[in-house]
């Protein structure tokens, strides 16, 4: 999929292409950060044997793209 995006972007104006790539990069970094924080919270809920928090956090993790 990434190759298709990059191939399509070859036809876009360079400034717009750079802006789009930066936005894609930032979105991916934010998703990675969110995923990481949720995983830390899941670990914490497991240590504390908090089933309700665990279930809530696993659902939340599914919604992070």
């Amino acid at each position: 999929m990434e190759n298709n995006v990059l191939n399509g972007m070859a036809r876009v104006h360079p400034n717009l292409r750079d802006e789009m790539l930066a936005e894609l990069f930032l979105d991916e970094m934010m998703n990675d950060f969110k995923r990481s924080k949720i995983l830390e919270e899941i670990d914490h809920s497991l240590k504390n044997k908090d089933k309700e928090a665990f279930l809530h956090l696993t659902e939340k993790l599914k919604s992070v793209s």
Side-chain angles (χ1 to χ4, degrees):
M1 180 178 151
E2 288 180 12
N3 282 339
N4 291 339
V5 171
L6 293 176
N7 288 337
M9 291 183 72
R11 295 182 292 259
V12 176
H13 189 275
N15 289 339
L16 183 57
R17 183 184 62 225
D18 292 346
E19 185 178 328
M20 292 169 67
L21 285 172
E23 189 172 332
L24 287 171
F25 175 77
L26 289 174
D27 285 346
E28 190 63 33
M29 291 290 91
M30 286 302 298
N31 285 336
D32 288 349
F33 178 77
K34 289 176 187 176
R35 210 174 292 114
S36 173
K37 286 300 182 185
I38 294 170
L39 289 171
E40 285 178 19
E41 292 178 45
I42 287 173
D43 286 345
H44 185 73
S45 71
L46 289 170
K47 286 179 187 175
N48 292 330
K49 299 179 182 178
D50 186 347
K51 183 178 179 179
E52 187 176 320
F54 173 80
L55 293 173
H56 170 72
L57 291 164
T58 53
E59 285 302 313
K60 190 175 177 180
L61 183 61
K62 290 176 188 178
S63 71
V64 176
S65 16

